């Protein structure tokens, strides 16, 4: 038994300890006190060290065992309001509670594929005269909101098209502060005007019509766009456009009614998903309970690789979800997660730096110890790219392409990942990550790490051996974050990489918020730690970072890159449907960026995760934020292995602690008598 486990056990049995202490303090017999200490030690260490609360039930309605999924969260969700939630932790909790109009097929990630969720089918695209586009949509009938006190008699009502319209109105309400507004207002008819009118009036009229949104029937509605924007379908697979019950928003206002305080809506979502929130103990635990009337989707009948046929074919077409409860515990440190996973009290875990060497071999395989247990290792690649931003408005860097190329060639991204990330991420050779249309697996960055080439380019840039024509050493400034020892070591590594060229690098450490401010206002030369994770799997969502009309504060072109040919290609590509022609344009844009070097590429973030033998990995689509409705738990196997793994003798430790506790309590008893 580990020290952490003992601490958890002692905490869990604190009432027992208090009772024993009271008995000891009242005992006048040393023999009796010693006997009680021994009895106490037996009682405490004979108890289970399971840190989780009792499940919400023991058996299902059909008599089958109640199945619980146990997982970890790094922090508490910030908000579960679907029109507001944007961070990964909040989305992970919200996904199984609030389903979207569309969703991602769980097994298709190269390329990603959209499939209907709350909608009957993918929206019908209709071209209008004048260049406008209409998407005609139909909801599945018979979908109900969760049972909740906000509805009459606490019974959830059916979802209708008006609920979608209400959600879109919330996007345009300035007081909601929806992150999707900045994009959608450029395309949905009347959206920008509605937002601006509400901003000026300091109030939003939810009864006003929306020219870009029209309810055409109980379950049908249309979305009218001013211009082609095929990426709208991806927004329909995000929570921002999920239908919301107006009753829920108005009921959960955070105020006191009839002497009882109500939650705010951001802490009390009322969704349609396979699970609903049963308990939220802030900063400690969230428990979700299976929605007994969930009928929206079933397990897919195709899409997986042939080598997974035996595992997944028996699940095809079955009703979802497969588990009855999800227990998410907040752990701000990674070591307890590793210890609880090892004891069988967590079903899966990310492999963090603290436990990496204990779990992963130098060849990046799972250690034999855990293979023998039946634990499985998975490598997940996110649709993301991280890089150092080069300021193209800087008078030194922005005017000297050879210098930018030299700096790029001087940076050894692989060594960076080996030293600081255990060689888990992938070195990025291009802006687009794997799985995004236009990604070229065979492409190699022409200005990737090559120190000799870097020195040649630096000389061609006018700085042979790092000095200008007057013999002055070139000096550049590198802005980094500096909140931890690891970040400072990484900054030193970056500095050493560039100083190999004979130049001088001044490192400026910033709090994260300060670095973000510098990226927004242009107060930097080189900024480390920049990057982008896909909102949706489309090249437009990455190349817009270098479109000249997206300079801050209007957009995220932090490099302040301007290239008329790139802009022309972006404008042609951005609103095209996927095709061979579009792929060709994307490749040209990639080549332009590769030569201009507005950034120094670093990595596509990826991670290792482990799953227990009773919790086989069903899907690994990173855009699903967990895919909890597909989770499978073999309850009997978990109970068997948990018991086996936690049967190790603990008597030497227990005896030691009993001696310490006995001595302390006897001393306390003696002091009280004296």
């Amino acid at each position: 038994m580990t020290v952490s486990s003992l601490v958890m056990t002692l905490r869990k049995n604190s009432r027992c300890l208090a009772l024993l202490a009271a008995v000891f303090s009242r005992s006048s017999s040393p023999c009796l006190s010693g006997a009680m200490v021994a009895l106490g030690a037996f009682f405490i260490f004979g108890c289970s060290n399971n840190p989780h609360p009792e499940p919400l039930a023991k058996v299902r309605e059909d008599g089958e065992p109640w199945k619980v999924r146990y997982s970890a969260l790094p922090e508490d969700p910030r908000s579960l309001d679907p029109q507001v939630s944007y961070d990964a932790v909040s989305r992970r909790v919200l996904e199984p509670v609030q389903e979207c109009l569309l969703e991602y097929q769980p097994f298709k990630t190269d390329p990603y594929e959209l499939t209907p969720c709350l909608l009957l089918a993918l929206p019908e695209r209709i071209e209008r005269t004048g260049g406008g586009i209409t998407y005609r949509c139909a909801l599945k009938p018979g979908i109900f909101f969760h049972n909740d006190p906000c509805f009459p008699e606490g019974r959830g009502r059916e979802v209708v098209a008006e609920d979608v319209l209400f959600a879109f109105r919330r996007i345009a309400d300035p007081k909601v502060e929806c992150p999707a507004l900045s994009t959608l207002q450029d395309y949905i008819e009347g959206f920008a005007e509605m937002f601006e009118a509400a901003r000026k009036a300091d109030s939003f009229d939810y009864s006003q019509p929306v020219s870009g949104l029209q309810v055409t029937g109980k379950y049908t509605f249309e979305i009218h766009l001013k211009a082609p924007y095929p990426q709208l379908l991806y927004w329909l697979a995000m929570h921002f456009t999920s239908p919301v019950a107006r009753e829920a928003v108005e009921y959960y206002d955070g105020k006191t009614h009839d002497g009882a305080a109500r939650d705010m809506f951001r802490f009390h979502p009322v969704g349609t998903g396979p699970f609903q929130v049963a308990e939220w103990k802030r900063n400690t635990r969230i428990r979700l309970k299976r929605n007994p009337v969930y009928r929206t989707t079933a397990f897919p009948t195709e899409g997986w690789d042939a080598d997974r046929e035996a595992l997944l074919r028996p699940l095809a077409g079955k009703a979802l979800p497969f588990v009855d409860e999800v227990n998410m515990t907040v752990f701000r440190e990674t070591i307890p997660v590793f210890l609880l996973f090892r004891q069988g009290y967590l079903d899966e875990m990310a492999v963090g730096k603290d436990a990496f060497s204990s779990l992963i071999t130098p060849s990046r395989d799972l250690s034999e110890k855990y293979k023998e247990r039946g634990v499985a290792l998975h490598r997940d690649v996110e649709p993301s790219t991280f890089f150092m931003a080069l300021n193209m408005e800087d008078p030194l860097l922005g005017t000297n392409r050879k210098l930018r190329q030299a700096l790029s060639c001087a940076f050894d991204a692989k060594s960076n990942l080996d030293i600081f990330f255990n060689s888990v991420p992938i070195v990025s050779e291009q802006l687009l990550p794997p799985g995004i249309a236009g990604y070229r697996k065979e492409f190699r960055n022409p200005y990737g790490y090559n120190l000799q080439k870097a020195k040649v380019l630096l000389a061609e840039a006018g700085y042979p051996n790092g000095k200008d024509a007057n013999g002055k050493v070139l000096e550049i400034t590198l802005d980094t974050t500096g909140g931890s020892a690891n970040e400072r070591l990484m900054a030193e590594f970056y500095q050493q990489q560039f100083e190999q060229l004979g130049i001088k690098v001044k490192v400026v450490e910033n709090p994260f918020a300060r670095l973000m401010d510098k990226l927004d206002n242009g107060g930097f030369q080189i900024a480390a730690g920049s990057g982008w994770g896909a909102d949706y799997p489309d090249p437009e969502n990455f190349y817009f970072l270098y479109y000249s009309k997206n300079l801050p504060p209007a957009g995220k072109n932090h490099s302040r890159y301007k290239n008329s040919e790139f802009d022309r290609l972006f404008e042609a590509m951005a609103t095209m449907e996927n095709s061979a022609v579009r792929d060709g344009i994307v490749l040209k844009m990639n080549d332009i960026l590769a030569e201009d070097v507005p950034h120094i590429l670093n990595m596509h973030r990826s991670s290792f995760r482990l799953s227990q033998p009773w919790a086989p990995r069903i899907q690994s689509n990173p855009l699903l934020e967990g895919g909890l409705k597909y989770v499978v738990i073999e309850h009997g196997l978990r109970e068997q292995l948990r018991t086996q793994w936690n049967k190790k003798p603990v008597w030497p430790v227990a005896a030691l602690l009993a001696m310490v506790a006995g001595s302390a309590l006897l001393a306390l008893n003696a002091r009280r008598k004296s």
Side-chain angles (χ1 to χ4, degrees):
M1 179 179 283
T2 63
V3 172
S4 295
S5 300
L6 290 173
V7 170
M8 291 180 183
T9 303
L10 294 173
R11 284 179 178 173
K12 192 171 183 181
N13 293 281
S14 57
R15 289 186 180 179
C16 302
L17 286 171
L19 178 61
L20 288 171
V23 173
F24 297 156
S25 66
R26 288 172 171 79
S27 173
S28 60
S29 167
C31 293
L32 178 59
S33 295
M36 290 299 291
V37 168
L39 179 61
F42 177 83
F43 175 78
I44 292 170
F45 296 105
C47 291
S48 166
N49 58 349
N50 187 343
H52 303 300
E54 287 295 315
L56 296 170
K58 293 292 187 183
V59 295
R60 299 179 58 171
E61 298 89 338
D62 58 6
E64 289 293 313
W66 184 266
K67 296 181 179 179
V68 186
R69 165 75 160 190
Y70 294 101
S71 59
L73 289 175
E75 60 184 0
D76 220 34
R78 299 175 190 175
S79 170
L80 297 184
D81 182 333
Q83 274 75 58
V84 174
S85 300
Y86 204 21
D87 65 283
V89 173
S90 298
R91 294 201 313 266
R92 193 184 310 175
V93 177
L94 188 60
E95 183 209 54
V97 174
Q98 181 83 45
E99 288 205 304
C100 303
L101 298 171
L102 301 176
E103 65 182 356
Y104 290 96
Q105 212 278 359
F107 309 114
K108 297 182 179 181
T109 58
D110 191 12
Y112 295 90
E113 181 179 303
L114 288 172
T115 187
C117 185
L118 296 177
L119 294 184
L120 271 172
L122 294 178
E124 178 187 358
R125 183 179 185 274
I126 302 169
E127 296 187 14
R128 304 196 315 272
T129 56
I133 299 292
T134 291
Y135 284 97
R136 187 169 291 164
C137 309
L139 290 167
K140 294 174 181 175
I143 296 174
F144 289 82
F145 287 109
H146 297 151
N147 291 339
D148 192 272
C150 70
F151 300 116
E153 300 180 0
R155 296 180 63 85
R157 64 165 175 80
E158 189 178 22
V159 179
V160 295
E162 286 288 347
D163 298 314
V164 180
L165 181 59
F166 178 70
F168 272 90
R169 285 188 173 120
R170 293 192 78 227
I171 294 173
D173 185 343
K175 293 184 178 179
V176 174
E177 298 183 347
C178 177
L181 173 67
S182 59
T183 298
L184 296 182
Q185 69 177 349
D186 292 339
Y187 295 97
I188 299 178
E189 290 182 0
F191 236 48
E193 295 79 2
M194 185 165 55
F195 167 79
E196 190 59 28
R199 188 187 63 80
K200 289 179 178 178
D202 196 30
S203 66
F204 191 89
D205 181 5
Y206 276 85
S207 65
Q208 65 180 307
V210 186
S211 60
L213 297 158
Q214 182 180 2
V215 172
T216 56
K218 184 177 181 180
Y219 305 112
T220 57
F221 60 95
E222 294 179 348
I223 304 173
H224 305 301
L225 305 184
K226 294 179 286 188
Y229 184 58
Q231 291 83 3
L232 176 71
L233 298 189
Y234 295 122
W235 289 100
L236 300 186
M238 301 171 77
H239 293 113
F240 303 126
T241 59
S242 293
V244 170
R246 185 167 184 168
E247 302 97 309
V249 175
E250 293 176 350
Y251 186 88
Y252 292 106
D253 56 6
K255 299 177 182 178
T256 299
H257 298 265
D258 299 325
R262 292 180 184 169
D263 283 337
M264 298 178 68
F265 182 63
R266 66 190 179 102
F267 296 129
H268 196 113
V270 181
T272 61
F275 296 93
Q276 60 190 109
V277 178
E279 176 192 34
W280 187 352
K281 192 173 182 181
R282 303 285 162 75
N283 296 305
T284 303
R285 179 184 300 108
I286 294 178
R287 289 206 280 179
L288 310 179
K289 184 178 181 180
R290 178 171 55 89
N291 176 6
V293 297
Y294 181 77
R295 301 291 184 273
T296 307
T297 61
F299 195 87
T301 56
E302 51 84 31
W304 53 79
D305 294 335
D307 60 356
R308 308 195 71 205
E309 179 73 11
L311 172 64
L312 300 180
R313 178 57 62 187
L315 304 176
K318 286 192 174 182
L320 299 170
F322 295 126
V323 300
D324 305 287
E325 181 182 337
V326 177
N327 184 318
M328 302 178 181
T329 304
V330 176
F331 293 98
R332 299 190 185 277
E333 302 293 335
T334 59
I335 291 177
V337 174
F338 170 51
L339 296 175
L340 289 172
F341 180 86
R342 190 170 65 178
Q343 293 175 286
Y345 294 116
L346 288 174
D347 298 325
E348 50 89 33
M349 64 166 279
V351 180
K353 195 166 187 176
D354 293 331
F356 195 90
S357 59
S358 299
L359 295 165
I360 309 299
T361 68
S363 61
R364 297 301 176 261
D365 195 6
L366 184 63
S367 70
E368 286 300 319
K369 174 182 177 180
Y370 289 94
K371 280 185 179 180
E372 291 170 1
R373 282 180 160 221
V375 172
L377 175 66
H378 314 276
R379 184 174 185 170
D380 298 330
V381 180
E382 298 178 9
S384 64
T385 305
F386 288 81
F387 46 82
M388 297 183 216
L390 306 183
N391 190 345
M392 300 293 285
E393 290 183 349
D394 178 76
L396 173 65
L397 291 181
T399 58
N400 195 329
R401 184 164 70 170
K402 291 285 187 182
L403 174 58
R404 299 194 302 272
Q405 292 171 348
L407 293 172
S408 180
C409 286
F411 180 64
D412 186 353
K414 184 178 184 305
S415 292
N416 177 48
L417 302 185
D418 290 344
I419 295 169
F420 297 103
F421 298 92
N422 294 306
S423 305
V424 179
I426 299 172
V427 172
S428 52
E429 303 284 350
Q430 57 201 291
L431 179 63
L432 295 182
I436 305 296
Y439 170 79
R440 282 190 283 177
K441 187 176 182 180
E442 72 283 357
F443 181 82
R444 292 294 174 267
N445 179 10
Y447 302 102
Y449 179 62
N450 185 327
L451 190 56
Q452 292 306 312
K453 184 175 181 179
K455 291 178 179 179
V456 171
L457 287 166
L458 188 65
E460 293 175 358
Y463 299 95
N465 299 315
K467 299 177 181 178
D468 65 14
N470 298 318
K472 183 180 179 181
V473 175
L474 173 65
E475 181 176 339
I476 60 174
T477 301
L478 172 68
D479 277 276
T480 71
T481 54
S484 68
N486 193 60
E487 287 175 316
R488 287 190 287 274
L489 288 172
M490 201 178 303
E492 290 178 12
F493 174 83
Y494 295 160
Q495 181 183 37
Q496 292 166 4
Q497 293 288 289
F498 298 133
E499 289 189 342
Q500 292 178 98
L501 298 176
I503 67 176
K504 183 178 180 181
V505 178
K506 177 184 177 182
V507 175
V508 178
E509 296 181 355
N510 303 269
F512 178 76
R514 176 60 179 151
L515 183 60
M516 293 302 101
D517 286 342
K518 287 185 174 182
L519 285 166
D520 285 338
N521 62 37
F524 70 96
Q525 275 190 308
I526 304 177
S530 299
W532 189 256
D535 291 315
Y536 45 82
D538 190 89
E540 177 266 348
N541 191 234
F542 283 87
Y543 283 130
F544 88 112
L545 297 172
Y546 296 95
Y547 182 45
S548 67
K549 294 182 181 179
N550 281 334
L551 269 63
K556 295 296 183 181
N557 184 351
H558 288 141
S559 290
R560 287 148 175 84
Y561 179 68
K562 299 174 185 176
N563 182 304
S564 58
E565 177 63 6
F566 183 89
D567 283 354
R568 184 187 69 80
L569 292 170
F570 177 82
E571 290 169 356
M573 176 278 298
T575 58
M576 291 176 66
E577 301 285 342
N578 281 328
S579 65
V581 173
R582 190 180 195 232
D583 287 345
I585 295 175
V586 168
L587 298 183
K588 290 179 183 177
M589 296 172 72
N590 176 70
D591 291 341
I592 291 173
L593 287 182
E595 285 298 318
D596 276 355
V597 194
H599 51 222
I600 298 174
L601 293 168
N602 190 358
M603 66 178 175
H604 304 302
R605 190 162 59 187
S606 59
S607 61
F608 283 148
R609 297 194 72 85
L610 303 181
S611 61
Q612 299 281 20
W614 58 77
R617 170 71 74 91
I618 300 300
Q619 68 82 32
S620 57
N621 188 328
L623 293 175
L624 286 179
E625 295 294 348
L628 287 173
K629 66 182 178 182
Y630 303 112
V631 163
V632 169
I633 295 293
E634 297 178 37
H635 177 79
L637 180 60
R638 174 163 63 191
E639 294 303 302
Q640 173 191 335
L641 291 179
R642 262 192 190 176
T643 302
Q644 177 183 325
W645 294 350
N646 290 280
K647 267 188 175 179
K648 293 180 180 179
V650 298
W651 289 111
V653 178
L656 175 61
L657 289 181
M659 290 171 62
V660 173
S663 299
L665 290 170
L666 289 173
L668 176 63
N669 191 29
R671 283 200 303 272
R672 286 185 175 179
K673 286 185 177 183
S674 64

